[in-house]
Amino acid sequence: MAAAKTAGARGGTVARARGLSSEEAEKFLHITIQPEKDVVLILTAAAQKQSIMKAICNEAFARTGERGIAFSVPVSDVTGLDLARLAGQAE
């Protein structure tokens, strides 16, 4: 999260997760899936996405030696946030 915040992220959620994978998926992708991992979720404007992802990869992965995957998913709708307050800060 520190790396993401330096690139402009205002916050995020770190969740402890347990992965479930099939042997076929591991063989197909040629990767080893760790059973336990941390998942970082950040909701941000599209314009900030690339700089945040690069910061996570460059700073966090390089500094710690850990491996991971950074990917983005477009969000078309969100509920449960103070959207009126955020509307003045978006784009």
Side-chain angles (χ1 to χ4, degrees):
M1 279 307 309
K5 284 185 176 183
T6 63
R10 294 190 181 134
T13 300
V14 179
R16 194 75 165 143
R18 294 192 68 208
L20 301 173
S21 67
S22 67
E23 288 183 30
E24 294 81 18
E26 289 183 32
K27 290 178 186 175
F28 174 71
L29 299 172
H30 302 288
I31 59 173
T32 301
I33 310 275
Q34 296 298 321
E36 293 189 6
K37 58 195 71 73
D38 289 327
V39 177
V40 179
L41 303 170
I42 300 169
L43 183 62
T44 190
Q48 293 180 295
K49 171 188 73 170
Q50 197 63 35
S51 63
I52 291 171
M53 290 174 62
K54 283 184 179 180
I56 291 169
C57 291
N58 292 337
E59 295 177 33
F61 296 160
R63 184 173 33 84
T64 64
E66 295 292 328
R67 301 275 186 231
I69 298 171
F71 64 92
S72 69
V73 178
V75 177
S76 61
D77 198 12
V78 176
T79 188
L81 297 173
D82 184 355
L83 298 178
R85 183 178 67 85
L86 292 174
Q89 299 173 2
E91 308 193 78

